[in-house]
Amino acid sequence: MTTRLVASGLSKSFSGTTVVDNVSFTVDAGQIVGLIGPNGAGKTTLFNLLSGVLKPDSGSLAVNGVDATSLPPYRLSRLGLVRTFQLARELDKLTVLENVQLAARDNTGETLAGALFRPGAARAAERATTTRAREVLALVSLSAHESKPAATLSGGQKKLLELARCLMAEADTILLDEIAAGVAPHLVEEIAVLIQRLNRDHGKTFVIIEHNVGFIRNLSSRVVVMASGKVLAEGSFDHVAADPAVVASYLGQAA
Ligand SMILES: Nc1ncnc2c1ncn2[C@@H]1O[C@H](COP(=O)(O)OP(=O)(O)O)[C@@H](O)[C@H]1O
Ligand SMILES: [Mg+2]
């Protein structure tokens, strides 16, 4: 089986406090891995380490078999791993379509040399990017909104746009940090169905942080539970849900 992601002994401290503490886990191609744990467990910090937003103090990371330790996000994206980012405020005024176009892996149409010396090729590349952006918007059911400024979307639609930007980057592994949080229930269901479809029909591998336990139970092939910066348990949802340490630290509160 192809391995998408191997984290080995990742650690990160802020001002002497260890927030991610010697975390190791593997994600195989085709999995949807749920990452759960109480607030402050270090889940988002771990995502920041996996996506190159933060450099680990120690430990290593491999993406699709290539050492990716301490690489910046754009290099990780080229190796095949991206995470969703909240839409930057400066992109609010741009349209939905423009937001997706800007996430394209190679914006050849925008290089100055290309525009000056090979205008035909630059225009062709731009057309290809636009075609692909429209395909991605269709996948996430935002086609009808392509001309609207991103700022006018609902919270749930913005989450779909964040996911569309990830898809535009053509990575095979996508990290989703609380994509269902604060989203209207009908859109939560739509997002769950979309993740399943992207996994099944488009070969995308996911790691999803989510507090909605039902969402995790329905989607995840495997669950990793974090508490106080460490991996507390991992396995099937039913396996971790039956673990007394997990119940005590997390699921017990939710129930
Ligand atoms: N940049 C930072 N500087 C200092 N402390 C941080 C920083 N980022 C996160 N933390 C702390 O690390 C801990 C884990 O945070 P986080 O990774 O966001 O947890 P989770 O996503 O599981 O809720 C928290 O105590 C948080 O305050
Ligand atoms: Mg978090």
Side-chain angles (χ1 to χ4, degrees), residues 18-220:
T18 302
V19 166
V20 172
D21 192 355
N22 196 23
V23 166
S24 302
F25 68 103
T26 298
V27 178
D28 290 326
Q31 287 186 327
I32 300 178
V33 175
L35 179 59
I36 64 174
N39 273 327
K43 304 180 300 294
T44 296
T45 305
L46 177 61
F47 263 24
N48 285 336
L49 296 174
L50 299 178
S51 59
V53 174
L54 290 173
K55 292 185 180 181
D57 298 331
S58 56
S60 65
L61 175 68
V63 172
N64 286 325
V66 178
D67 179 32
T69 314
S70 298
L71 292 183
Y74 82 94
R75 295 279 305 279
L76 279 158
S77 166
R78 285 182 188 168
L79 287 178
L81 182 136
V82 289
R83 63 166 288 183
T84 49
F85 285 102
Q86 275 197 338
L87 299 173
R89 202 158 305 142
E90 56 271 26
L91 299 183
D92 264 2
K93 289 203 181 76
L94 298 183
T95 67
V96 167
L97 181 64
E98 286 163 343
N99 266 276
V100 178
Q101 286 170 314
L102 280 177
R105 186 184 186 125
D106 293 304
N107 263 312
T108 31
E110 291 194 346
T111 66
L112 184 59
L116 287 176
F117 301 118
R118 301 178 60 231
R123 274 197 300 275
E126 204 179 302
R127 273 197 301 276
T129 299
T130 304
T131 302
R132 170 103 189 102
R134 291 209 162 103
E135 286 167 5
V136 165
L137 283 175
L139 269 178
V140 303
S141 308
L142 284 179
S143 299
H145 305 285
E146 72 163 53
S147 304
K148 292 184 184 167
T152 64
L153 296 181
S154 73
Q157 289 170 332
K158 282 183 180 162
K159 299 294 182 103
L160 289 170
L161 180 54
E162 289 172 24
L163 183 53
R165 288 173 53 84
C166 281
L167 294 173
M168 196 66 188
E170 295 177 78
D172 41 39
T173 303
I174 300 177
L175 312 182
L176 304 175
D177 193 349
E178 301 199 29
I179 195 162
V183 172
H186 73 279
L187 258 187
V188 171
E189 180 56 29
E190 192 178 311
I191 288 171
V193 169
L194 177 60
I195 291 170
Q196 265 162 342
R197 188 147 46 90
L198 291 169
N199 175 252
R200 198 186 51 222
D201 301 340
H202 298 265
K204 301 294 183 186
T205 299
F206 287 93
V207 185
I208 54 182
I209 296 176
E210 199 52 68
H211 283 294
N212 181 332
V213 171
F215 191 88
I216 290 288
R217 186 208 303 260
N218 289 341
L219 284 177
S220 306

